Amino acid sequence: MTQSPIDPAVLVSKLDLETKVRLLTGAAAFTLQPEESIGLGEINLSDGPTGVRGLKFSGGRQVALFPNATLLASAWDEETTAEVGRMLAEEALAQDIHVVLGPTINLHRSALGGRLFEAYSEDPLLTGKLAASYVRGLQQLAIGACLKHLVANESETARNTMNSVVDAKTLRELYLLPFEIATSESDPWSMMAAYNDVNGVAATEHDHVINEVVKGEWGYTGLIMSDWFATKTAAPAAAGGLDLVMPGPDGPWGQTLVDAVRAGELDESVVDEHVRRLLVLADRVGMLGQLRELPTDLPAPDSEIRREQLTRLAARGITVLTNADATLPLTRGTNVALIGRHALETIDMGGGSAQVNPPYQVSVAEGLTALLGDAVRVVDGVEVRNRPVAARPGFVIDPSTGNPGVHVTLLAADGTVLDERHDAPSTLMVGFDDDFTEPVATVRLRARVAADGPVEVGVIGVGAWDLRVGATSRQFELRSSGGFAEEMLAPPVELGTVDVSGDDIIDGEVVLRPPAATEVVDGGQDVDATANPLAGVGLFGLVARPAPRPVEDVLAEAAAAAADADVAVVVVGLTEEQETESVDKSTLALPGAQDALVSAVAAAARRTVVVVNAATPVLMPWLDEVDAVLWAGLPGQEGGHAVAAALLGDIEPSGRLVTTFPVADGAAPAWNVTPVDGDIEYTEGTFIGYRGHWAGTAPTPAFWLGHGLGYSTWSYSDATVSDGGPSPAVSVTVTNTGERESREVVQVYLEPSSSDEPVRLVGWASVTLGAGNSARVRVQTDARLWRAWDAASGSWSRIADGGRLLVARGLGDVRASLPLG
């Protein structure tokens, strides 16, 4: 006998107003309220851009660290993101997580955006199609996806107060389009409304976007939640379409929303609809009525299957930007000088909510040495950070166990020990997702430095510190400057250099500053702490790293090593200082003296390969001095193995760029990310990225979206376009003219007849062929890119006839031009 389907509307009718409203605010940081009377279980949420972190923002269980979104997207392959979705669903099931907060599908409007590493691309079609396949993979295993952030949230500066000023045409054709594509092709079970305002209205109460477009025009069936602490009002947000306020248990709804309904400011049917959507989500993830049973045979984050998957996924996304005289792939037996701080401390993930606690992170030095052994000489590079970060495991040892990590003790105000952790990570979050009976008042961090000599030692976090290193001690206070979520995402740091021996112990104790009605910050101004929902929350940590060496000494050592080798591989890049939530970049230049390092090595080496360990564009003033450049993104826990496999050609780095690389700072159609009088004006309209470069609104870029050489060469012939229909198809014969099997991505762009309409990607297809083989490739263009939004009528129309279709390997390498009509 089959069970009768659950009718959420019937269950809603059984609840009183206070209960319904209670369900519409989270129970805690990442959980939702249960309600036993209707069989509603507790739903667990987790951030998920590069791994399913779990219910703890920091210091949680070990989970798999995936390659970042731009690296995964560089495969230009829907099956890749579908596989990632399935893998993330397994990671979620292993932790009893029901909804993964991803994918991020905001566009790369300006390369300065700090959070671009979480988002797929500057192109709406590529972003939307990859997001749809990710969602299908995730929800195939009954784990809910969450498209974020709705909408026009392309930068981080003042993100919780700024106003994105976007005309209707640009909003519909660019920034809403990925959400529309993913909604129509994968039916995501939730979305997240952003921090910012859109045209003067908070994204969390935007009636036009949420009610009229998403739920109305698109017929969206899922739930829309707020970004964390983003909801600003009660009745206006509820009336504007927001279904769920996060986090909880406190928030702007509660009794205020109940009172608004009682006063007739909001019809109770609006609350009913929000609860109905919540129950639909609960039913979909198996937390309504008969609760789900968890599988027990899921891969561990350090299992062999995860190692293979994560290595392959990262390596396939790595992109060959240049490769003079077939410098790559390297041959075994080659003597390699591997140079750079990123070679030893490879950056595998960005900052903010994308961070997870992986079981390990493989550096490029470890990965390449594993394949080439003694043929690799590893040389450290110049400093790459302005801001120190927490000590890496292995550089500090828990003195109570002798294992890598830190000894952490958390105490209440009366001195009671609330928690004690051994072999712990060097950072921990306090006050956000705690489950103690009393608040944490004091944090103690204790470690031994596994080194002798000069070491930079310090601490991270707001509070009154007592720092002792060996026989020395000092006391000081660190304060926040008042920025939103600064205590969590960019807390203050104190640092100094000391001489240590291997027996010296670092003891850091901080007394937390209790939330006060008024806080005085460094600038001297008073800040109303009651208006800060994160008062009392903080990230704390221990800093320990080798003291910096003089740049001249580092460059000389690197050049000498390069001169002695057959080939020098220099690994440069960005860090979580530049690629992070809450902070935008100020330049695309590599931090520190990394450019000088590359030039010094190139002047001394026989051949020079540069690996760029960054998720987003960087400037390359040394480009003409080197023989090959690989763009490696943030490659995840298997990053070093993936980069090594790509360098040797064990796995072809067949990636194609997902965003355009400007040739200089400011040389892009959209640049500014700093609000002026609270506004970011999207004055470039629909001409962002490659679209604007093609139209001449910005100089020719260093590299176009879609660029990527792989390890072979290709010829194109006999390109044809089908007749008629809303979305013509293009067919072309491609031939692998190289000496090894390779993968090609055939891209088709529409250049409309009117100069008012930008060129745009309308479709792509990939093919893998052996050396000398040919195939006929068909690319079906997408009808949604053949339309234009008419703001006057509020409707879509087909763009004017004429123009041409361009068959290309990125717009810097157009292989065929097909006139239309």
Side-chain angles (χ1 to χ4, degrees):
M1 181 176 178
T2 59
Q3 185 177 4
S4 300
I6 296 172
D7 184 348
V10 172
L11 297 181
V12 172
S13 69
K14 298 179 179 181
L15 303 174
D16 60 31
L17 177 60
E18 285 77 8
T19 301
K20 289 184 289 191
V21 169
R22 177 177 59 81
L23 295 179
L24 297 180
T25 294
F30 294 102
T31 59
L32 305 189
Q33 302 275 2
E35 178 52 47
E36 185 178 358
S37 68
I38 57 171
L40 173 63
E42 182 179 74
I43 297 175
N44 298 324
L45 317 178
S46 171
D47 281 312
T50 50
V52 182
R53 190 181 62 237
L55 298 180
K56 291 288 185 182
F57 189 88
S58 176
R61 62 180 284 173
Q62 290 185 343
V63 299
L65 170 60
F66 286 62
N68 81 289
T70 55
L71 186 57
L72 293 169
S74 295
W76 285 58
D77 179 31
E78 293 177 60
E79 178 48 39
T80 290
T81 41
E83 180 182 6
V84 168
R86 293 190 294 270
M87 293 166 63
L88 288 169
E90 292 174 343
E91 294 281 311
L93 287 166
Q95 302 177 74
D96 199 16
I97 296 296
H98 306 98
V99 177
V100 172
L101 303 175
T104 301
I105 59 173
N106 301 110
L107 299 183
H108 298 192
R109 174 181 173 265
S110 167
L112 292 179
R115 207 171 179 181
L116 301 189
F117 72 94
E118 283 189 41
Y120 289 130
S121 171
E122 72 185 14
D123 183 79
L125 177 64
L126 183 61
T127 296
K129 298 289 284 187
L130 296 180
S133 60
Y134 169 108
V135 171
R136 290 193 297 269
L138 194 65
Q139 294 182 173
Q140 177 182 332
L141 297 182
I143 300 297
C146 182
L147 304 182
K148 62 185 187 183
H149 308 85
L150 189 72
V151 63
N153 179 198
E154 276 67 44
S155 55
E156 294 296 290
T157 304
R159 61 176 178 167
N160 61 312
T161 59
M162 58 84 66
N163 175 42
S164 297
V165 182
V166 195
D167 65 78
K169 177 179 174 66
T170 301
L171 188 64
R172 295 300 293 256
E173 294 183 16
L174 275 187
Y175 299 104
L176 281 172
L177 184 54
F179 291 89
E180 179 185 359
I181 292 171
T183 296
S184 66
E185 296 189 6
S186 64
D187 191 21
W189 296 344
S190 67
M191 292 188 197
M192 184 186 295
Y195 286 113
N196 54 284
D197 291 358
V198 182
N199 296 326
V201 180
T204 50
E205 55 193 68
H206 210 292
D207 179 69
H208 171 64
V209 170
I210 299 177
N211 285 330
E212 294 180 7
V213 177
V214 177
K215 293 182 177 180
E217 181 183 327
W218 299 349
Y220 177 60
T221 63
L223 172 139
I224 296 183
M225 69 182 76
S226 72
D227 205 338
W228 269 228
F229 305 105
T231 310
K232 302 172 182 178
T233 63
L242 188 70
D243 298 309
L244 174 67
V245 171
M246 289 301 294
D250 300 318
W253 283 15
Q255 189 60 45
T256 303
L257 190 59
V258 171
D259 293 343
V261 173
R262 298 281 192 230
E265 299 171 17
L266 183 75
D267 195 283
E268 189 169 351
S269 64
V270 175
V271 173
D272 291 347
E273 172 61 11
H274 296 326
V275 177
R276 187 194 67 80
R277 287 178 180 264
L278 174 64
L279 297 183
V280 168
L281 174 64
D283 189 30
R284 286 168 161 174
V285 300
M287 294 303 290
L288 188 63
Q290 184 72 37
L291 304 187
R292 75 181 188 184
E293 295 183 5
L294 297 175
T296 58
D297 57 347
L298 298 168
D302 59 352
S303 63
E304 284 302 316
I305 187 172
R306 283 288 183 262
R307 292 173 187 266
E308 184 281 326
Q309 290 170 320
L310 295 173
T311 301
R312 170 174 47 82
L313 290 168
R316 287 191 66 205
I318 293 173
T319 302
V320 183
L321 297 182
T322 67
N323 192 18
D325 302 321
T327 297
L328 295 174
L330 302 177
T331 57
R332 283 171 166 80
T334 300
N335 289 316
V336 178
L338 180 62
I339 300 165
R341 178 62 54 83
H342 284 77
L344 290 102
E345 297 180 6
T346 305
I347 305 299
D348 295 315
M349 60 181 166
S353 60
Q355 292 185 317
V356 301
N357 181 24
Y360 56 84
Q361 296 180 63
V362 180
S363 70
V364 174
E366 292 168 327
L368 197 59
T369 301
L371 295 182
L372 297 183
D374 294 340
V376 179
R377 177 185 174 187
V378 181
V379 178
D380 196 6
V382 295
E383 291 297 315
V384 297
R385 300 180 186 278
N386 296 313
R387 173 187 171 86
V389 294
R392 288 198 162 218
F395 194 76
V396 291
I397 304 297
D398 184 335
S400 63
T401 65
N403 297 324
V406 175
H407 183 187
V408 176
T409 307
L410 305 179
L411 298 98
D414 63 0
T416 302
V417 174
L418 300 173
D419 193 17
E420 191 164 11
R421 305 171 189 174
H422 297 280
D423 311 333
S426 300
T427 59
L428 73 156
M429 184 69 64
V430 170
F432 183 58
D433 46 22
D434 297 342
D435 49 13
F436 307 125
T437 56
E438 298 180 64
V440 175
T442 301
V443 176
R444 290 177 183 163
L445 305 168
R446 196 164 193 263
R448 177 170 58 82
V449 178
D452 294 306
V455 173
E456 283 192 331
V457 175
V459 292
I460 302 169
V462 173
W465 282 93
D466 183 357
L467 177 62
R468 300 178 296 279
V469 183
T472 65
S473 66
R474 57 197 184 99
Q475 293 75 41
F476 51 88
E477 184 165 359
L478 294 178
R479 294 191 172 198
S480 164
S481 64
F484 177 74
E486 178 185 328
E487 297 87 347
M488 290 178 63
L489 302 175
V493 177
E494 177 74 9
L495 192 68
T497 300
V498 296
D499 284 314
V500 302
S501 71
D503 296 327
D504 283 341
I505 301 294
I506 305 172
D507 271 305
E509 179 173 303
V510 57
V511 177
L512 278 60
R513 298 180 66 228
T518 302
E519 298 176 349
V520 180
V521 299
D522 291 343
Q525 73 272 28
D526 291 343
V527 175
D528 180 6
T530 62
N532 178 10
L534 292 174
V537 174
L539 184 72
F540 299 90
L542 204 61
V543 176
R545 64 174 186 171
R549 299 165 56 207
V551 171
E552 296 78 9
D553 294 351
V554 175
L555 298 186
E557 182 183 16
D564 289 341
D566 297 324
V567 61
V569 176
V570 191
V571 189
V572 298
L574 305 177
T575 73
E576 71 288 334
E577 287 184 30
Q578 295 84 30
E579 301 196 293
T580 185
E581 184 176 357
S582 82
V583 177
D584 289 315
K585 309 181 192 75
S586 59
T587 177
L588 301 187
L590 291 170
Q594 292 185 89
D595 289 333
L597 176 66
V598 174
S599 292
V601 169
R606 296 173 179 83
R607 292 178 296 159
T608 304
V609 175
V610 177
V611 176
V612 180
N613 179 198
T616 49
V618 300
L619 303 183
M620 305 179 194
W622 34 258
L623 192 60
D624 293 337
E625 303 169 31
V626 304
D627 299 284
V629 179
L630 280 185
W631 178 85
L634 306 178
Q637 69 186 45
E638 292 290 337
H641 289 148
V643 171
L647 286 168
L648 294 175
D650 294 350
I651 302 174
E652 184 189 27
S654 58
R656 302 295 189 268
L657 291 181
V658 294
T659 199
T660 300
F661 281 42
V663 71
D665 275 348
W671 188 251
N672 182 49
V673 291
T674 302
V676 177
D677 296 328
D679 291 346
I680 290 285
E681 297 194 18
Y682 288 43
T683 54
E684 70 286 345
T686 56
F687 287 81
I688 67 166
Y690 71 91
R691 296 167 170 226
H693 286 284
W694 186 260
T697 63
T700 300
F703 300 104
W704 294 87
L705 174 135
H707 173 76
L709 302 177
Y711 282 156
S712 193
T713 54
W714 296 84
S715 67
Y716 283 50
S717 60
D718 303 322
T720 61
V721 58
S722 64
D723 294 329
S727 55
V730 170
S731 296
V732 63
T733 298
V734 297
T735 301
N736 180 350
T737 56
E739 298 179 354
R740 57 174 289 158
E741 181 180 89
S742 185
R743 177 175 178 266
E744 177 65 330
V745 179
V746 179
Q747 304 157 43
V748 177
Y749 297 81
L750 169 63
E751 184 182 44
S753 57
S754 170
S755 60
D756 293 335
E757 293 288 344
V759 70
R760 76 283 307 269
L761 179 72
V762 291
W764 76 91
S766 64
V767 63
T768 300
L769 294 174
N773 291 339
S774 301
R776 191 75 175 161
V777 177
R778 184 177 187 273
V779 179
Q780 178 64 56
T781 67
D782 194 296
R784 289 166 291 212
L785 276 298
W786 292 79
R787 61 185 187 175
W789 181 255
D790 183 354
S793 65
S795 62
W796 293 103
S797 62
R798 185 172 171 82
I799 61 174
D801 291 339
R804 58 177 178 158
L805 289 171
L806 304 172
V807 184
R809 309 179 78 227
L811 286 174
D813 186 5
V814 175
R815 295 300 181 92
S817 176
L818 303 171
L820 296 168

